[in-house]
Amino acid sequence: MTTVLIVDDQPLQRIGFRMLLNSSPETTVVGEAEHGAEAVRRTAELHPDVVLMDIRMPGMDGIEATRRILASGGRSRVLVLTTFDLDEYAYGALRAGASGFLLKDARPDELLAGIRAVAAGDAVVAPAMTRRLLEVFTTHLPLRGPGEDPRLAGLTQREREVLTDIAAGLTNSEIAEDLCLSESTIKTHIGRILAKIGARDRVQAVIFAYDTGLVRPS
């Protein structure tokens, strides 16, 4: 059973999410919050598997709340919700440590699948969406040269190749085909890459690749 904390400043939105999540045998709502500060407090109290986080809220917004929740070192993971698929606020939430984002008009099965994926440690943002997001907001990234980050220096040449393909938006099967390796080998490389660079998931790995200059905006 995946436990979820719902964070949204709109009561009707919270009611709708609660009804959907409690109707699924795999998820249960353990609490609600109507703004960022309450979300941080409730997460510390309830330790939910997933925090379903709205972005635009009065007072502390979802980005700052996400940053504080992840900085606490707890096990809760954050899935942010946004109205627009290329909302810079969603990008900011990913930078703050969120495991991905979905649109508020996502189908019920998409939302439930996204919550399950985040709870399992995966990223929700599809590779193509990750690429679109970074293409639009790479102006926010500092242009630094490769090698300045010691975590990047710790990667093998093969791991750099895999990370470059991840940043290009390729799926595991596509990376395997590109590098003439098995998909299981690619999964092993990705696990090692995430451990070495301290990334929680694929989305954070993509941001790392751009941040360090391994990959440049096209």
Side-chain angles (χ1 to χ4, degrees):
M1 180 72 71
T2 299
T3 57
V4 183
L5 172 69
I6 300 171
V7 184
D8 198 296
D9 64 329
Q10 299 296 322
L12 289 180
Q13 285 274 17
R14 297 199 303 274
I15 291 173
F17 289 139
R18 176 180 282 275
M19 291 177 61
L20 170 64
L21 297 179
N22 283 341
S23 71
S24 169
E26 298 179 349
T27 56
T28 185
V29 176
V30 294
E32 299 179 8
E34 60 181 354
H35 53 74
E38 186 178 12
V40 175
R41 185 174 66 254
R42 296 286 280 165
T43 299
E45 294 171 353
L46 301 170
H47 307 289
D49 297 316
V50 177
V51 179
L52 196 60
M53 180 75 74
D54 187 20
I55 291 294
R56 303 186 185 190
M57 297 179 289
M60 185 189 297
D61 64 18
I63 297 176
E64 180 60 25
T66 296
R67 184 177 295 111
R68 295 191 185 191
I69 288 171
L70 273 298
S72 71
R75 66 180 182 86
S76 299
R77 300 172 68 85
V78 178
L79 173 60
V80 300
L81 296 173
T82 182
T83 305
F84 304 103
D85 61 351
L86 289 180
D87 188 334
E88 67 175 300
Y89 289 94
Y91 178 83
L94 295 178
R95 296 275 302 184
S99 295
F101 76 95
L102 289 174
L103 301 182
K104 281 194 172 182
D105 62 359
R107 298 192 311 270
D109 60 319
E110 290 176 332
L111 179 58
L112 291 172
I115 290 172
R116 289 195 299 270
V118 167
D122 295 328
V124 169
V125 183
M129 187 63 71
T130 302
R131 185 165 56 247
R132 288 176 58 197
L133 198 67
L134 287 167
E135 283 173 351
V136 172
F137 297 113
T138 45
T139 54
H140 291 251
L141 295 166
L143 294 178
R144 295 183 292 188
E148 292 184 24
D149 192 305
R151 294 172 296 172
L152 183 60
L155 298 180
T156 66
Q157 182 58 39
R158 178 63 79 187
E159 288 167 347
R160 286 177 180 237
E161 292 170 348
V162 172
L163 181 54
T164 298
D165 277 354
I166 292 174
L170 274 62
T171 63
N172 287 357
S173 61
E174 290 171 337
I175 297 173
E177 182 179 355
D178 179 50
L179 300 180
C180 299
L181 297 170
S182 69
E183 192 167 343
S184 61
T185 298
I186 295 302
K187 290 180 180 178
T188 298
H189 280 308
I190 292 175
R192 290 172 178 167
I193 290 168
L194 296 182
K196 285 183 177 181
I197 67 176
R200 278 175 290 273
D201 50 45
R202 198 182 195 96
V203 174
Q204 297 299 308
V206 172
I207 293 175
F208 172 84
Y210 276 86
D211 262 349
T212 57
L214 178 66
V215 177
R216 295 283 185 176
S218 56

